[in-house]
Amino acid sequence: IGKVSTQLIQGFPIGNIISNIEEIQVNSPAISFYGNGCIPIMAIESGSHFADTSFKRAILCTKKLLQNLDMLGGRVESVIATYVEYIVMSSILFPNVEFELVDTFENYGKVTKGQVIATDGLEQIVSPFDGHTIFAPPKGVKKVKNLKEEVMFLTLPKRTFAV
């Protein structure tokens, strides 16, 4: 939540950073309830809830964070890691149940400004800028039942940086 501190994430076994989603999401994400507004907050999507690799990744990220904060002994590897940041700037919400996606969109898939994302046969929802899709529905799902939640999010073009 907020600006990513490259000092804090140094050594994390992650590749993608999603930022600004808390400013775009229509309902408050769970992470927005933590802290009191002056404490930096971050969340790490470590993978499937049932995969051993997810638990290992979460534990390693926590250990690295504590080392980066000088709260835990040990040394953070000085390997320069490359991260890809996706800045969320828009979301897709369907105005009625007749809307459906025009195609199956992949997470981190490219979209171009003006590209048709969804339609109800009369009106269209288009991408307002070049960028990427994240949190897209599973393959084959083009309609949604809950009109109060985002169908997916749109990010600016990815930004790559090294730590």
Side-chain angles (χ1 to χ4, degrees):
I1 303 282
K3 185 157 173 50
V4 174
S5 168
T6 55
Q7 238 179 347
L8 293 181
I9 64 170
Q10 186 177 16
F12 280 24
I14 59 173
N16 294 333
I17 296 171
I18 298 170
S19 59
N20 202 51
I21 194 166
E22 75 280 6
E23 298 296 331
I24 303 300
Q25 193 168 8
V26 292
N27 294 315
S28 297
I31 194 171
S32 66
F33 297 105
Y34 306 134
N36 61 7
C38 64
I39 299 169
I41 300 170
M42 76 174 83
I44 300 163
E45 181 62 50
S46 61
S48 169
H49 293 239
F50 305 105
D52 287 344
T53 55
S54 300
F55 288 103
K56 289 175 184 174
R57 183 176 296 116
I59 291 166
L60 185 55
C61 286
T62 302
K63 182 180 176 185
K64 294 296 181 195
L65 175 63
L66 293 173
Q67 288 174 336
N68 291 340
L69 291 168
D70 292 327
M71 296 174 73
L72 182 66
R75 192 171 70 83
V76 177
E77 294 86 27
S78 60
V79 176
I80 295 178
T82 301
Y83 296 97
V84 179
E85 183 176 21
Y86 295 88
I87 303 170
V88 177
M89 293 303 290
S90 183
S91 64
I92 302 297
L93 289 159
F94 287 172
N96 62 58
V97 295
E98 301 302 318
F99 267 84
E100 66 178 47
L101 295 171
V102 297
D103 202 352
T104 298
F105 292 88
E106 294 187 21
N107 284 318
Y108 308 109
K110 286 187 177 183
V111 290
T112 57
K113 182 177 181 175
Q115 178 180 343
V116 177
I117 304 291
T119 185
D120 67 354
L122 299 173
E123 296 182 50
Q124 297 178 334
I125 298 173
V126 300
S127 176
F129 46 77
D130 292 342
H132 301 274
T133 58
I134 60 166
F135 302 129
K139 189 172 184 170
V141 175
K142 292 186 175 185
K143 285 191 162 265
V144 296
K145 294 178 184 172
N146 187 350
L147 298 178
K148 294 180 181 180
E149 291 184 2
E150 295 87 350
V151 177
M152 65 182 165
F153 294 89
L154 301 177
T155 76
L156 294 176
K158 65 184 176 183
R159 177 180 82 95
T160 303
F161 63 93
V163 176

